[in-house]
Amino acid sequence: MKLETTYKSNNYPIIIEHHALDQLHDYIKNYQDIVLVIDQKVENEWSHITDFIASEYEAHKLIVPSGETTKTLSFYEETIESLLSKQLTRNTCLIAIGGGATGDFTGFLASTLLRGVDFIQIPTTILAHDSSVGGKVGINSKHGKNLIGAFYRPKAVIYDLNFLSTLPYSEILSGYAEVYKHALLNDIESVNHIEAQYSDEQALKSLDEIEYYLYKGVQTKLNIIVADEKESNVRKFLNLGHTFGHAVEYKFKIPHGHAVMIGIVFQFIVTNIMLNKSFNIAHYVNYLRGLNYPLDIVNDLEFESLYKLMLNDKKNDEQGVQMVLLKDIGDPIVRHVDYKTLSKAFAEFKSYFNK
Ligand code: NAD
Ligand code: ZN
């Protein structure tokens, strides 16, 4: 399946299928220099593929530490200096082969190397259906995640779903949170459909039909980001589940999507209180239990410290904590939520997990 962004200019294709790599040639044949930036764990599993690409295109191979450890200033410095020592021309393409961390890092490298060279995303995780699209690239600062970065679009996203076969279940769960979030932003049919498809751990592990759901997820994200690339307006909707989720992720250092799923449940409780709705919270908690999300950490959550972290969220404005709520499935809005409401919602939230 293939999608294309619909900006006024500088559009890029997003190819989502098994064996999508067969099409890589069309996008890289004209570059003088090619650098593959590959996540270490991906390299461990897939070196036969990366070696093939490297020899076919006389590309440099750069293996980077697995996951988040790549997104640091010191590693960025080391890497960009080493790339500059290779006397690359401006007709260079960097190709990220890995999850969101490798993609964010490589995109940032590309945006700054020689004032900007091209880059291509080859996502290898489920989560990266989200991170590889939209042009946000960056690394972490000691002041917080993703604070050093740019908006910089890739030339193509080539999402070869064969890579997903080596993902551990924990990473499937992490990525699935964003797929599910996109369904919630879409409509009730999408949510019913995906819950029926992935009704328990065994079904989700199989990844049957994942191509369709990733396609739908990317399409939902595209509709939003093309309308608002720099997050002044509707792009905020993509933060559904993330205000509380980021606080939990930061505090407990758990995978992003595990925290986002917890944040999604919290958001439903706040929605019920603020918008006078009656979303069935037990349904969502049971759904997460059925998929085997690690939920024990909920017992260790404590309101005051999470509240402080929510206040620090860079997405807030001077009026305090902002959250995305759902007037209905598929109908998000952004609201300020005060201390009292958050604290009440938190007490209710805890009660669902004590059962
Ligand atoms: P990740 O890149 O850290 O990958 C997760 C883990 O899976 C790592 O240990 C990695 O080594 C491993 N891995 C990757 N592909 C594999 C494969 N095919 N087989 C086996 N193991 C594999 O994390 P992620 O969950 O893909 O992405 C999270 C990152 O994305 C965060 O840094 C987050 O800030 C960023 N992000 C960016 C955006 C954006 O718009 N730019 C959006 C969401 C998230
Ligand atoms: Zn996210």
Side-chain angles (χ1 to χ4, degrees):
M1 292 189 196
K2 185 171 170 185
L3 285 155
E4 177 100 18
T5 58
T6 52
Y7 297 108
K8 290 200 181 85
S9 59
N10 293 330
N11 285 297
Y12 55 92
I14 301 153
I15 300 161
I16 307 173
E17 56 202 31
H18 291 275
H19 306 294
L21 273 182
D22 293 348
Q23 297 175 53
L24 180 63
H25 178 78
D26 298 344
Y27 298 96
I28 62 174
K29 56 182 184 240
N30 294 327
Y31 290 105
Q32 181 162 349
D33 297 295
I34 293 174
V35 182
L36 309 178
V37 184
I38 311 161
D39 174 289
Q40 176 71 64
K41 283 193 193 156
V42 175
E43 176 66 7
N44 294 348
E45 302 279 359
W46 297 93
S47 60
H48 51 296
I49 302 283
T50 59
D51 283 343
F52 177 77
I53 302 173
S55 69
E56 191 80 358
Y57 298 97
E58 293 176 28
H60 302 273
K61 261 176 96 166
L62 181 75
I63 317 296
V64 298
S66 142
E68 209 63 22
T69 37
T70 277
K71 287 175 62 175
T72 63
L73 257 184
S74 57
F75 189 66
Y76 165 78
E77 181 185 4
E78 186 186 312
T79 310
I80 201 153
E81 293 291 6
S82 122
L83 288 180
L84 289 168
S85 75
K86 296 185 201 303
Q87 273 119 28
L88 300 172
T89 63
R90 299 202 62 181
N91 188 18
T92 290
C93 185
L94 305 187
I95 303 183
I97 309 180
T102 309
D104 281 9
F105 172 75
T106 307
F108 183 60
L109 264 183
S111 74
T112 48
L113 182 68
L114 303 173
R115 293 214 178 87
V117 300
D118 288 353
F119 90 111
I120 287 175
Q121 295 263 23
I122 299 186
T124 63
T125 62
I126 292 188
L127 193 133
H129 87 282
D130 184 1
S131 59
S132 63
V133 171
K136 277 193 191 178
V137 297
I139 57 175
N140 301 326
S141 141
K142 62 180 180 200
H143 298 287
K145 248 177 87 90
N146 301 328
L147 294 182
I148 304 166
F151 287 93
Y152 197 70
R153 296 182 199 160
K155 288 292 163 193
V157 178
I158 298 176
Y159 199 174
D160 190 326
L161 304 180
N162 290 358
F163 283 114
L164 303 180
S165 65
T166 53
L167 268 187
Y169 187 60
S170 164
E171 294 301 337
I172 292 180
L173 281 176
S174 184
Y176 181 65
E178 304 285 7
V179 185
Y180 188 68
K181 177 195 82 178
H182 285 133
L184 291 170
L185 291 173
N186 224 10
D187 53 31
I188 184 73
E189 288 76 29
S190 304
V191 175
N192 291 341
H193 206 230
I194 204 167
E195 286 186 3
Q197 176 81 47
Y198 303 122
S199 53
D200 58 20
E201 174 172 354
Q202 201 189 356
L204 183 57
K205 228 178 220 164
S206 77
L207 293 181
D208 283 348
E209 306 292 336
I210 196 67
E211 180 173 338
Y212 170 76
Y213 295 100
L214 292 172
Y215 174 85
K216 291 275 286 183
V218 170
Q219 204 171 37
T220 305
K221 178 158 184 183
L222 276 184
N223 288 340
I224 293 176
I225 57 168
V226 167
D228 172 23
E229 186 172 29
K230 305 222 163 139
E231 199 162 320
S232 51
N233 181 14
V234 292
R235 189 163 183 161
K236 292 196 173 119
F237 295 159
L238 296 171
N239 296 323
L240 182 72
H242 283 60
T243 311
F244 191 71
H246 272 149
V248 174
E249 179 183 1
Y250 186 83
K251 182 99 188 148
F252 293 91
K253 310 287 176 242
I254 60 175
H256 179 69
H258 297 198
V260 167
M261 271 301 200
I262 289 171
I264 285 174
V265 174
F266 186 73
Q267 165 278 137
F268 274 120
I269 298 173
V270 175
T271 297
N272 281 351
I273 297 172
M274 291 229 352
L275 306 181
N276 214 5
K277 294 280 169 184
S278 47
F279 283 107
N280 182 349
I281 308 303
H283 164 82
Y284 296 101
V285 174
N286 288 336
Y287 184 52
L288 301 198
R289 286 214 168 100
L291 292 176
N292 219 356
Y293 273 87
L295 297 171
D296 285 352
I297 65 141
V298 174
N299 296 320
D300 299 331
L301 301 185
E302 183 266 317
F303 181 69
E304 290 301 328
S305 60
L306 291 174
Y307 178 68
K308 279 203 193 91
L309 289 167
M310 283 193 274
L311 271 182
N312 284 341
D313 192 310
K314 66 175 181 288
K315 312 257 152 93
N316 288 330
D317 59 16
E318 62 290 343
Q319 292 177 58
V321 175
Q322 268 197 336
M323 275 181 74
V324 182
L325 306 177
L326 290 173
K327 281 190 278 181
D328 273 307
I329 304 283
D331 190 6
I333 50 164
V334 178
R335 280 287 156 87
H336 286 103
V337 189
D338 62 22
Y339 176 91
K340 224 175 114 195
T341 309
L342 288 169
S343 143
K344 184 174 168 199
F346 185 77
E348 188 178 335
F349 170 78
K350 287 280 258 195
S351 73
Y352 278 100
F353 291 88
N354 287 333
K355 286 169 194 159

